[in-house]
Amino acid sequence: MHPSRLPAILPGLLAAVALPLLAQEPAAPPPKPRISVDLSADFLALHVKIQAPEGTTKVQYRFGAETAVPTDSQWTDAPPLTAEDRRVSLDLPLPRSRWTEFQARALKDTEVLATSTKRHTPRALTLVTPERLAALPESDRPAWTAYVEKSARLADAEFDHLAAECRAAAMPRSRPAPSGGEFEIDDDTPDSWYRSDTAARLAAAVISFQTPSGGWSKSLSFEEGSRQPGTHWTSHPDDPWHYSGTLDNRATTEQIRYLAIFHSITGDSDARAAALRGLEWLLSAQYPNGGWPQNYPLESGYHEAITLNDNAMLHAMQLALDASRGEAPFTFVDAPLRQRLAGAFDRALDCLSAAQVSFGGKPSIWCAQHDPLTLQPAAARLKEPPSLSGGESAEMLKFLMREGPLTDRIVALVEPAVAWLDAHRVTGLKKTKNEAGKTDYIADPASDEVYWARFYDPVTARPLFAGSQDGIVYATFTEMAAKNKVSYDYFVTRPGEVIGKEMDRWRKRMDKEGFTPAQPSPGTDQPSR
């Protein structure tokens, strides 16, 4: 064969060799039959939807309500499958509104075609996990383990309490509580109002919505009267355990204060008992390191973080301090409980000291959320990345300066934080409205407006602006607002009050009480980074 003809006949030769080889390859095995199982549960029953594979003549199942399915337990025949799509539905009564494991299998005569096992797994915690607890120093581990275990027991008890009410009324699901606004006491309310029928009805409604663990949810309306059996303690229709006992938006602390005032004026014993249960909740909710989570019993996610956001930890500290002093309206708090509350306040100061972020070895301010175990800055929602908080830190400082005891410990928290805020003013901006009529902050060197960022980068100490929709951290407010809905105050002025009039008041308070700090004031030197 002439070499010039080889390229022309080569493809044919290769095909002649390859075709027999391909013909000898084994055919792909048929797909393995599978049985599809979908489960949902309410307080009365486990609802099961099963689709069996082709060729199934019978479906069997077994399930464990309190424990996993024993390996030697008997299988139960399911009702006949629908002819067109081989489906069957089951409604299995639950003895205590709980289920642990469900198993199903599809059979063709006596041959098992496919099996499926489903296990109930409660939503796991994300920050206070068994793995992270196991990595703690041995000396810290027992307290944290006991804390998490108690939280889980209380959550189970709340579930069982509501389940018992619903089952007694043959209700598969609980009703959400009436939704309302933030519950807040008016300090100017006269004593005569607390003696009114309106105040008594409000007290009864507030008491009725106290969770079995001792806390309250937020966004409740007490105007519609007392809680009825089968009604949840929260107003969330889709997730009834969301914020079931919380410090968010003044919840729990404000209800305790109201009941304490109502008892101090009327002598009502139910209000006294509920207020005491609330104080016990406050003590139980405090982490071993002195911080407070947003919700308790613990709710998975950023709710586990030590939460200064919206002044949650501040309100907890304020209540613990006030009740520990035994002054009106907390004169009914006995000495042992006052001592425990004072200890809780001291541990909170320990937490603030340990969590205060440092730059170049100098303390600055705090974050909106701190990791409960490491105390490092922690994220929450998309618009809340790990960050220092100008707003919440200012409120914490105002509380410590006005109401905290005058001690070197408090001074060590306050003075460097105020100096840091003074050194991190945001100037050269003018607040205005853009073409769309929305708030904007534009560069204006002539502007005399002074702001502080709601959030500062915990590494660079520069302001940051995270989008509420895309979660992207932008360098400027304008860039963030152009691509996201703005539903947050990204600039605040509260630090200015702390640096100005609150600092003056702080100095006068020291002079009036004859207090001289052991360490000289750091002044307003800017911390090194």
Side-chain angles (χ1 to χ4, degrees):
M1 180 185 301
H2 194 278
S4 63
R5 295 189 58 198
L6 186 59
I9 65 172
L10 185 59
L13 292 174
L14 292 175
V17 174
L19 284 175
L21 292 176
L22 290 173
Q24 294 174 14
E25 290 183 1
K32 187 177 180 179
R34 63 182 297 272
I35 182 171
S36 173
V37 178
D38 292 321
L39 303 176
S40 64
D42 52 41
F43 289 125
L44 303 180
L46 178 66
H47 306 286
V48 186
K49 293 181 178 180
I50 300 174
Q51 183 171 28
E54 189 174 353
T56 300
T57 57
K58 180 193 298 185
V59 167
Q60 294 181 325
Y61 69 91
R62 56 188 185 183
F63 84 107
E66 303 293 334
T67 62
V69 176
T71 56
D72 59 349
S73 63
Q74 296 295 312
W75 291 88
T76 300
D77 290 345
L81 298 170
T82 56
E84 61 277 9
D85 55 7
R86 305 177 306 282
R87 295 178 183 270
V88 63
S89 296
L90 306 168
D91 296 300
L92 307 175
L94 295 173
R96 288 185 59 244
S97 301
R98 296 179 182 277
W99 70 278
T100 302
E101 185 176 71
F102 178 88
Q103 297 179 356
R105 65 182 186 181
L107 294 93
K108 182 178 182 180
D109 300 326
T110 59
E111 177 190 359
V112 177
L113 297 178
T115 62
S116 177
T117 298
K118 300 282 187 177
R119 296 180 179 88
H120 176 63
T121 53
R123 187 178 178 187
L125 300 177
T126 60
L127 298 178
V128 191
T129 63
E131 295 78 14
R132 298 191 77 200
L133 294 186
L136 290 173
E138 189 173 351
S139 58
D140 295 341
R141 213 174 301 146
W144 280 95
T145 300
Y147 178 95
V148 173
E149 289 175 349
K150 181 177 181 179
S151 172
R153 289 196 303 272
L154 291 175
D156 286 345
E158 289 190 1
F159 179 90
D160 289 340
H161 185 114
L162 190 62
E165 290 184 348
C166 289
R167 290 172 68 83
M171 295 171 55
R173 294 176 179 83
S174 61
R175 296 181 293 264
S179 180
E182 187 172 316
F183 184 76
E184 189 171 359
I185 301 169
D186 185 350
D187 292 336
D188 296 328
T189 302
D191 289 1
S192 58
W193 183 85
Y194 284 95
R195 297 189 184 96
S196 68
D197 290 342
T198 300
R201 286 193 297 271
L202 177 58
V206 168
I207 293 169
S208 73
F209 278 98
Q210 186 175 29
T211 69
S213 300
W216 279 267
S217 185
K218 65 175 183 176
S219 304
L220 298 177
S221 172
F222 300 110
E223 303 301 322
E224 298 182 30
S226 296
R227 173 184 171 273
Q228 299 302 306
T231 302
H232 213 290
W233 301 282
T234 79
S235 58
H236 295 272
D238 299 326
D239 186 358
W241 303 104
H242 193 33
Y243 292 100
S244 186
T246 184
L247 292 167
D248 196 30
N249 293 1
R250 291 183 177 270
T252 299
T253 53
E254 203 74 352
Q255 281 86 350
I256 293 171
R257 287 187 183 278
Y258 176 79
L259 295 175
I261 296 171
F262 183 76
H263 163 71
S264 69
I265 294 172
T266 68
D268 186 90
S269 59
D270 290 340
R272 176 183 182 275
L276 288 173
R277 286 197 301 273
L279 292 174
E280 291 292 345
W281 179 94
L282 191 73
L283 292 169
S284 295
Q286 187 180 33
Y287 278 135
N289 60 10
W292 271 277
Q294 187 184 59
N295 299 345
Y296 184 81
L298 290 176
E299 182 178 346
S300 179
Y302 68 83
H303 310 288
E304 302 167 59
I306 293 173
T307 305
L308 278 73
N309 192 46
D310 292 333
N311 303 318
M313 184 164 167
L314 185 159
H315 294 146
M317 293 177 65
Q318 190 175 40
L319 179 63
L321 181 62
D322 289 349
S324 72
R325 290 169 170 166
E327 300 170 355
F330 295 104
T331 54
F332 61 91
V333 178
D334 62 23
L337 181 53
R338 290 202 304 270
Q339 187 174 5
R340 292 167 60 208
L341 290 163
F345 180 80
D346 286 342
R347 288 191 297 277
L349 293 180
D350 290 338
C351 182
L352 288 179
S353 179
Q356 201 167 11
V357 176
S358 291
F359 290 89
K362 295 183 179 181
S364 63
I365 57 175
W366 297 278
C367 307
Q369 291 87 20
H370 288 266
D371 185 283
L373 299 179
T374 67
L375 301 183
Q376 291 299 306
R381 294 169 290 185
L382 283 177
K383 60 185 177 183
E384 297 164 338
S387 57
L388 306 182
S389 174
E392 276 74 11
S393 293
E395 293 292 342
M396 180 62 77
L397 290 168
K398 181 179 177 180
F399 160 67
L400 293 174
M401 295 161 77
R402 284 192 175 194
E403 302 180 42
L406 274 179
T407 63
D408 288 323
R409 189 183 190 191
I410 297 286
V411 171
L413 292 172
V414 169
E415 298 278 355
V418 173
W420 192 92
L421 287 172
D422 194 27
H424 287 79
R425 303 165 184 248
V426 179
T427 58
L429 290 180
K430 184 177 180 60
K431 187 176 181 179
T432 184
K433 296 286 186 181
N434 60 23
E435 294 179 355
K438 296 182 179 180
T439 297
D440 199 357
Y441 296 85
I442 61 173
D444 183 357
S447 173
D448 60 358
E449 298 172 14
V450 179
Y451 298 100
W452 283 261
R454 176 72 180 266
F455 300 126
Y456 289 89
D457 190 299
V459 177
T460 67
R462 296 190 183 95
L464 59 81
F465 308 90
S468 62
Q469 293 168 291
D470 60 20
I472 296 173
V473 175
Y474 296 87
T476 68
F477 175 87
T478 302
E479 290 176 287
M480 179 277 300
K483 298 182 180 180
N484 291 271
K485 180 180 179 181
V486 178
S487 56
Y488 222 54
D489 293 327
Y490 285 89
F491 286 106
V492 296
T493 58
R494 285 170 285 176
E497 299 176 9
V498 173
I499 294 167
K501 68 179 182 180
E502 292 299 332
M503 202 63 182
D504 291 340
R505 179 184 295 201
W506 168 249
R507 301 290 185 219
K508 291 176 182 177
R509 182 186 171 198
M510 288 185 183
D511 292 341
K512 182 178 179 180
E513 299 185 24
F515 177 78
T516 302
Q519 297 293 329
S521 169
T524 57
D525 292 339
Q526 182 169 347
S528 60
R529 301 192 190 99

